[in-house]
Amino acid sequence: MTDLGWDCVRPGAPEAGSPAAQIVITAEDFAELPIEAPVAHAGPDRGWLPVNMVNVLYTEADIQELETELLGTPVRIRAVPVEFHWDLGDGNTITTTDPGKPFPSERISSEYRFEGWYDITLTTTFTGQFSVDGGEWQDIEGSIEIESDPVELFAKSLESRLVNGSTTDDEEDEDEEEPWIPERTPDTEGPIDPEAHHRRV
């Protein structure tokens, strides 16, 4: 086990018969823990979606537990994900206590009104608890926020096309091709939505 530098409260040298040193995990200690950022998922795996199409957001955020030993005493710490803040990159944001689910669920979702590249960023809020030598869990004051790696997504304006009425569905599928997606440059960045707002779901 590794001593990660958490504080110990030792009220002077204990006298005979006095209680053992008290171990306390502070908010500052909690902020220094190596908590892993949840992986953010957005839109289809192909990396683009049509403008005005539902963009499904979700993450798999589990409780994380760490173990160490302080003053010869085993200590367990756990970080509990309690809130998820999504920044869609176009000025729109969503805050929720729900991690969401993959498509076809649309529990946490959004859409883009304009074409362009966007970064979708997830920030997860964790609260903490600690247990000393198998004892009851105690709350750690405060919370921490951890930002996940952004997801790059291109919103594509698709033009409708005429369909040959004599063509079968199978033939149409064979003829379909992925639309051209431009490289990401300053000129292909998506604009800020003038009607952007924050939602809490």
Side-chain angles (χ1 to χ4, degrees):
M1 295 186 183
T2 303
D3 185 340
L4 299 176
W6 297 317
D7 294 336
C8 302
V9 176
R10 188 197 298 268
E15 299 178 358
S18 64
Q22 180 183 7
I23 296 175
V24 176
I25 307 301
T26 69
E28 291 74 17
D29 298 329
F30 186 43
E32 294 178 359
L33 294 178
I35 305 300
E36 295 183 6
V39 176
H41 300 275
D45 292 337
R46 61 194 177 191
W48 69 272
L49 81 167
V51 166
N52 296 321
M53 182 69 71
V54 171
N55 174 23
V56 174
L57 311 168
Y58 72 97
T59 186
E60 289 128 0
D62 298 319
I63 295 175
Q64 299 181 40
E65 291 197 6
L66 297 162
E67 296 182 357
T68 189
E69 187 173 291
L70 299 174
L71 303 179
T73 304
V75 178
R76 297 171 63 198
I77 298 93
R78 63 185 180 190
V80 183
V82 295
E83 190 172 78
F84 310 93
H85 179 82
W86 296 90
D87 185 328
L88 285 305
D90 65 347
N92 286 290
T93 55
I94 301 172
T95 300
T96 177
T97 57
D98 189 337
K101 286 188 174 182
F103 185 85
S105 170
E106 297 181 11
R107 282 161 50 173
I108 312 299
S109 62
S110 63
E111 60 183 42
Y112 290 106
R113 300 173 61 224
F114 305 99
E115 182 172 278
W117 282 102
Y118 295 95
D119 280 331
I120 300 171
T121 305
L122 169 65
T123 301
T124 305
T125 300
F126 289 87
T127 58
Q129 296 178 316
F130 70 98
S131 170
V132 179
D133 198 18
E136 65 180 17
W137 289 99
Q138 304 175 60
D139 291 335
I140 300 172
E141 291 187 7
S143 61
I144 59 174
E145 294 183 347
I146 297 182
E147 186 174 298
S148 302
D149 291 335
V151 178
E152 289 187 315
L153 198 63
F154 185 77
K156 175 72 173 178
S157 294
L158 297 181
E159 297 179 358
S160 59
R161 63 185 177 89
L162 295 177
V163 176
N164 185 342
S166 63
T167 304
T168 66
D169 290 340
D170 290 340
E171 289 173 334
E172 288 181 16
D173 291 340
E174 290 175 1
D175 292 338
E176 284 185 1
E177 296 181 359
E178 289 286 301
W180 176 76
I181 304 300
E183 292 185 8
R184 189 164 190 176
T185 68
D187 291 334
T188 60
E189 289 294 311
I192 295 297
D193 186 342
E195 299 181 9
H197 61 283
H198 175 73
R199 287 189 290 136
R200 182 173 286 273
V201 295

